[in-house]
Amino acid sequence: MSEIRLINIGYGNVIHANRIISIINPDSASSKRLRNEAKQNQMLIDATQGRKTRGIIITDSNHVILTAMQPETISQRMINKNNFKE
């Protein structure tokens, strides 16, 4: 049985770490297209709590999650979580 690992993506929001495919910067034209397509397909989740979007998480279920955290911060949390053993 696989271990459930949750990653904090800011403001009390968490995501299942094994579902994350990619974490990207929201400033490129392609990421803006991705965001608009996800919104049209009702696959967009806004976890920014009204703050500026600093990272976009893409999941294996094609959901697109907006977060107010930098991609580097989220990836560092994933690395730290992967290295932690009880």
Side-chain angles (χ1 to χ4, degrees):
M1 188 158 123
S2 67
E3 176 184 334
I4 296 177
R5 295 177 304 133
L6 299 175
I7 301 294
N8 184 340
I9 60 169
Y11 305 107
N13 300 300
V14 295
I15 185 171
H16 195 288
N18 294 339
R19 306 291 307 259
I20 297 173
I21 292 178
S22 180
I23 307 167
I24 62 174
N25 191 324
D27 297 331
S28 69
S30 59
S31 65
K32 290 176 184 174
R33 265 193 311 275
L34 178 69
R35 182 190 318 193
N36 289 335
E37 287 176 14
K39 187 173 184 176
Q40 288 176 350
N41 295 329
Q42 297 182 347
M43 300 294 279
L44 183 69
I45 300 170
D46 187 352
T48 62
Q49 303 296 103
R51 272 88 168 182
K52 179 180 177 184
T53 300
R54 296 183 187 269
I56 298 177
I57 300 169
I58 303 167
T59 67
D60 61 353
S61 62
N62 292 327
H63 284 88
V64 175
I65 304 169
L66 307 179
T67 179
M69 293 181 66
Q70 296 284 348
E72 296 83 11
T73 304
I74 298 168
S75 63
Q76 191 62 45
R77 288 181 181 189
M78 289 181 72
I79 291 168
N80 290 341
K81 193 80 163 177
N82 287 337
N83 292 334
F84 179 76
K85 300 286 183 197
E86 288 188 26

